[in-house]
Amino acid sequence: EEVARHYAACMDSVNLITAGQPEGMADDEWEATVARNKEHLEIMVAKDFWTEEYDLTPFKKAIKQGQ
């Protein structure tokens, strides 16, 4: 259950990054938002509690997109 919550939180970060910069958001604010969410994903991908039932591919793609 806790791992599922972590996965959902990571997917929130993925969705935020892949949705792109919201209209009206300042560039510097967007860059900071992406950096925070990318860091979150990098930390979570490194965790050892993921099992094969969890697909981490979206996390890794969002990390690359956020560079």
Side-chain angles (χ1 to χ4, degrees):
E1 187 176 300
E2 185 176 339
V3 176
R5 282 196 300 271
H6 285 302
Y7 191 85
C10 287
M11 285 306 298
D12 289 343
S13 290
V14 167
N15 292 333
L16 187 142
I17 292 170
T18 59
Q21 184 174 350
E23 191 173 320
M25 180 182 266
D27 290 344
D28 59 338
E29 185 180 350
W30 173 244
E31 289 175 19
T33 299
V34 169
R36 278 191 311 275
N37 283 274
K38 180 180 167 226
E39 182 179 10
H40 171 237
L41 290 171
E42 289 171 334
I43 290 167
M44 295 308 291
V45 164
K47 299 291 183 183
D48 63 0
F49 52 69
W50 301 113
T51 62
E52 290 182 14
E53 72 181 281
Y54 294 99
D55 181 9
L56 304 185
T57 304
F59 302 178
K60 294 173 184 175
K61 285 182 179 180
I63 289 168
K64 284 185 179 184
Q65 184 176 340
Q67 293 179 348

